[in-house]
Amino acid sequence: MKSRMAYPYIVWLSMFIVLPLLLILYYGLTAVDGSFTLDNFQRFIDPIYLRVLWRSVELALLSTAICLVLGYPMAMIIAKTEIKRRNLMVLLFILPMWMNFLLRTYAWMTLLGRNGVINNILGWAGLPELNLLYNASAVVLGMVYNFLPFMVLPIYTVLSKMDQSYIEAAKDLGANNRKVFWKVIFPLSLPGVISGVTMVFMPAVSTFVIPRLLGGGQLMLIGNLVEQQFSYVGDWNFGSAISIVMMLFILISMALMTRFDKEQQGGVGLW
Amino acid sequence: MFLVLLGILFPMMTGCSDQETLYVYNWGDYIDESVLRDFEEEFDVRIVYETYATNEDMIVKIRSGGSRYDVAIPSDYMIERMINEELLREINMDRITNYHYVKEDLKNLDFDPDNRFSVPYMWGTVGILYNTTMVDDVVDSWEILWDETYEGDILMMDSQRDSIGITLLKLGYSLNSRDEDELEEAKQELIRQKPLVLAYVVDEGKDMMVAEEAALAVVWSGDAVIMMEENEDLEYVIPKEGSNLWFDNMVIPTTSENPELAEEFINFMTRPEIAQRNAEYIGYSTPNLGAMELLDDEITGNPAAYPPDEMLENLEVFQDPGDFLSVYDRIWTEVKAH
Amino acid sequence: MVKKWIERSYSGLIFVFLYAPILVLIIFSFNESRTRGNWGGFTLHWYADLFRDRQILSAFYYTLSIGVISAVVSTIVGTFAAVGIYNMRYLGQKTILNLNYLPVLNPDIVTGVALMTLFIFFNFRLGFLTLLLAHITFCIPYVILAVLPKLRQLDKNLAEAAMDLGAKPFYAFRKVVLPEITPGIITGALIAFTLSIDDFVISFFTTGSGVTNISITVFSMARRGVNPMINALSTIMFTTVLLLLLWINYRTNKEKEEDEDEKELQMYNVLGTAGDTLSDDDRV
C-alpha cells in the first residue's frame, strides 16, 4: 500500500535512468558500424587502463575514509549544538558549496601553489616550503574538500534525532563513553554513514576536474579517461564500455563495504 | 477588461516573436559583448548567445541537432572535421563584403581551401613563454623543455595534440604526423620528460607563470601577450623547429534556420571597427588588416602577437587526424598514466 | 570544559578549511589584474562589468530557477519514492535502489550524453525543460539517499500504533512519519539544490535555445581564463545568502525566545518555584 508511493518515481526512473542505461549498454556492446562486439571491453583489459581504474578507486577510497574520519566528529558536534544555532551551522556548512566549483578549485591552487598563500605564511614563520600542489595529496585534498558536506549531512540527520533512551540505558548499565559510542551510537548511525559513504565514494571515483586541475594533469584517473573518450576522441563505444566496467566495479565495492551491516540496518543496500 | 488586456499584450508578444533571432555559439569570454548589442540594434534582431568549453563539446552538440545554432566559432582542425562530416553550410562569399580586410596569408588554408565554409576570427601561434630571471640559457628550441636543469619548473599543455605535436616538431617531424614510428618516438620523449614537468595545464598556466611558479611554459600567443603585460620578466619565443599556427573561424552549421542573417553577422564581425573592438577586448591577434590599422602600434608591433610574415612559413596548422585520434589518445593515456 | 574547547577548535578548523578558498575567491574579485598570479590593485570595475553583462545575469537567473524548481520537485518525488521503496519487498527494493544509484556513480559525461541522446530521440528541443528534467533526474537519488536513513531509524511501531488508534494511513503518515523524517527531507533538498547550481557537464549537454547556467558560463571560460566578473558574482551571492541566513536565524531565535519567555512566564505563574527546574531542562 505504502509502496505505491514509489510508483511515480519508478516511472520516472524507467524513462530517465533505465533507458539511458540501455543506451550505454548498447554503445558498449557495439562497434561504430552498429555490429555487436566485445572489442570495447577487450580493449579495456589492458594493464594501462586497469591501472587507471585501480588508482581511481584507491584515491576515492582514501578520500572517503578521510571524509568519514573528519566528518563524523563534525556531525556529532553539530548534532550536539543547541537547537538555536544548529540549523545555522548546517547551512553555513553547505554554503561554500554554492560557490562555483571551478572558482573554489582555482582558489585552492592559489592557496597551495609554490608561491601561494600557505607557502608564503610558512615562509614568514621561517618554515620550509611545502610541495602541496600537483600531486596525489592535492587531489585527495580537493576531493575531501568537495565531498565533506555530503558525508557530514546524512550522518548529522541520523544523529540529530537519535533515541536518547538507548544511550541512557547503556550508561545506566555501566558503559563508559567509549563503549557507548562504539556499541550504541555508531551502530545506530550506520544508515547515515552508509548514505554518506555512498554519496562520497561513487562520485569520487568518476570525478575528472579535480585530478586535472589539482593534480596538474599528471594523474590519469578513470573519470578523465571516460571524458576523453566521449569528448575528445568521440569514441562513445569505448567510453561506454569503460563506464560499464566502472559501474560494476563500484557496485561490487559498495556491496563489499556494506557487508558490515548484516541486519540490513543500513539498507540503502546494494545486493 | 480581460479582452482589453489581451488586446494590449497580444501585439507586444507578436512584436517579440516577429523579431528575428540569431543563435551564436562561441568560446567563453571570447567576444566584446557590446558588439552583440550593436548588431541587435542595427539589424533589429535578437541574439541568443551560448558558450562552450572545447571544440569537441561543441561538435557533439551541433552534431546531435538538438539545438539550433546559426554561427559557431570552431578551431582549424575541427572545421576540417565538420566539413568532412557535412555539418557546415557553404558561405555565400559575395555577402561577406568585408572579406578583403582579412590578411591574405591567413586565407585559403588546408583545413578550408578557398574559405568556402569559414571566415577567420582570431588567430595565433604556440610558443614557449619563459621567465628571464629564472632561465639563463638562450631559449630558441623545444629542446629546452627537456633540459634537466629546469626539472619541476616546466609547464606543458594538457592537450593531446599540442603536446604530442610539439614533441614531433622537436624530433624534426611534422606536427600532423601519422607515422607510427615517429609517434612512438614522440611518446617515449614525453614519458622521458614527465619527471621534469611540474604540471600539464590549460588556463591555470597563466596564473602560474605570472606568479613565477614555473620557469618555462608552452602557451598560446594570445595568452602570452596577456601574461607578459602582467609580469615584465616574461618573454615569448617561437622555437626554430617550427610551431603550430592556430585559427578560430566563424562558420554556419547546416542546422541554421537563418543563414542569411548568419552571413550578415559574419560580415558585421569582419568590419574593421568591430574586429578591432573584439581584438582589444580579447587580447588575441586579429586577422583583419583594417582592424590592425586601428589598433595601437604598441599592440601590432608586438612580435609575440603579430609575428613577421617570414615566421609564418615555419608554422603548421593542425589537421584533423580522423580515425587516427585513437592512436593519439592511446599515447597520451600511456604518458599520463605512467 | 576541555571537551568543549576541543569541540570548538575542531569545528573552527573545519570551518577555516571550508572557507579559506572562499575568502581567496572574494579577495580576487577586487583584483585589478585579470589573472590570479599577482595583485594589480584594488578595484570595483569587475562588479560594474558584471551588471552590464547580459549573458552572465541571464545565466544567473536560469541557475537559480532551475536550482529551486529541481530541488523542490526532486525532494517531493524523492521523499515519496524513499517511503515507497522502504516499504517494498526485498527483491524489488534492491533492484530499484541499485538502479537509483546510476546517476550518482556514472561520470557526469555519460549521464549527460545519454540524456541528450534520449531527448533528441524523442524529438525534444533542448532548452529549459530538458535541462530541468536532467537536473531532477540526478537530484532525486541524492534525496532518496538522504531520506532513507531516517526511515530506517524510524520506529515502525509508531505508525502502526497511530493506525490502531484509528488514524487513516495517510493521516498517520502525515502526522507521525513525516515529522520524524523531516531532517532527512531538508538535507535532501539542500543537497539537491547544491548539486543543481554547480553542475556543468550534464547541463551542457542537455540545454540549448540560449538557456545556460553559471557553471556552463564559467567552464566555457576555461580556455581563456575565468573572468573575475564571476568572482564578483560569487561574492555577491555569498554575502547575500550569508546575511540572509544570519538575519533569518536572528529573527527565528528572537521569536523562539519570545515564545519561550511567554511560556516560562505562564509556568512561573502556575507552578511557582517549579520554574527553577524548567530553566535547567532548557539546556538540551
Side-chain angles (χ1 to χ4, degrees), chain A residues 1-20, chain C residues 76-89 91-100 137 140-141 144:
Chain A
M1 148 278 326
K2 262 207 214 142
S3 60
R4 260 188 256 137
M5 286 203 197
Y7 286 10
Y9 181 52
I10 295 182
V11 174
W12 183 283
L13 189 150
S14 19
M15 276 205 295
F16 295 108
I17 297 184
V18 175
L19 279 183
Chain C
I76 297 177
V77 177
T79 307
F80 280 116
V83 176
I85 293 175
Y86 178 65
N87 282 299
M88 280 173 93
R89 281 200 297 227
L91 210 59
Q93 196 183 66
K94 282 296 172 202
T95 335
I96 301 291
L97 275 176
N98 283 324
L99 284 175
N100 181 52
T137 306
I140 295 184
I144 295 181

Side-chain angles (χ1 to χ4, degrees), chain A residues 108-146:
Chain A
W108 269 116
M109 295 175 76
T110 310
L111 284 168
L112 298 171
R114 240 181 229 173
N115 296 333
V117 176
I118 294 184
N119 275 324
N120 275 332
I121 297 179
L122 289 175
W124 283 338
L127 295 165
E129 184 179 278
L130 286 177
N131 200 3
L132 296 166
L133 192 57
Y134 298 140
N135 50 30
S137 332
V139 176
V140 172
L141 180 96
M143 289 211 238
V144 169
Y145 179 74
N146 202 36

Side-chain angles (χ1 to χ4, degrees), chain B residues 41-56:
Chain B
E41 239 186 80
E42 188 177 320
F43 291 83
D44 193 27
V45 295
R46 194 169 71 100
I47 292 187
V48 172
Y49 194 75
E50 279 182 58
T51 52
Y52 52 85
T54 63
N55 282 307
E56 289 71 16

Side-chain angles (χ1 to χ4, degrees), chain A residues 157, chain C residues 71 74-75 139 142-144 146-147 182-193:
Chain A
T157 42
Chain C
S74 53
T75 306
C139 284
Y142 283 89
V143 174
I144 295 181
V147 175
T182 301
I185 300 179
I186 297 183
T187 299
L190 278 179
I191 292 183
F193 182 71

Side-chain angles (χ1 to χ4, degrees), chain B residues 22-45:
Chain B
L22 184 75
Y23 288 79
V24 179
Y25 209 19
N26 193 7
W27 301 82
D29 209 25
Y30 208 40
I31 195 170
D32 178 345
E33 296 207 356
S34 60
V35 154
L36 296 172
R37 304 290 92 78
D38 289 350
F39 183 80
E40 283 181 322
E41 239 186 80
E42 188 177 320
F43 291 83
D44 193 27
V45 295

Side-chain angles (χ1 to χ4, degrees), chain B residues 29 50 61 203 207 230 248, chain C residues 33-34 36 207 210 222-223:
Chain B
D29 209 25
E50 279 182 58
K61 288 293 288 290
D203 158 53
D207 301 335
E230 304 258 343
D248 290 326
Chain C
S33 150
R34 200 174 182 278
R36 283 166 299 276
T207 190
R223 192 181 84 155

Side-chain angles (χ1 to χ4, degrees), chain B residues 140-177:
Chain B
D140 64 352
S141 156
W142 293 113
E143 274 296 338
I144 199 169
L145 298 173
W146 272 256
D147 191 334
E148 278 161 14
T149 0
Y150 301 106
E151 179 172 349
D153 263 329
I154 301 174
L155 293 175
M156 289 285 281
M157 263 200 215
D158 194 5
S159 153
Q160 295 187 15
R161 297 294 308 279
D162 291 289
S163 289
I164 297 178
I166 64 171
T167 317
L168 287 167
L169 286 172
K170 177 182 93 88
L171 293 167
Y173 307 131
S174 155
L175 232 252
N176 289 306
S177 167

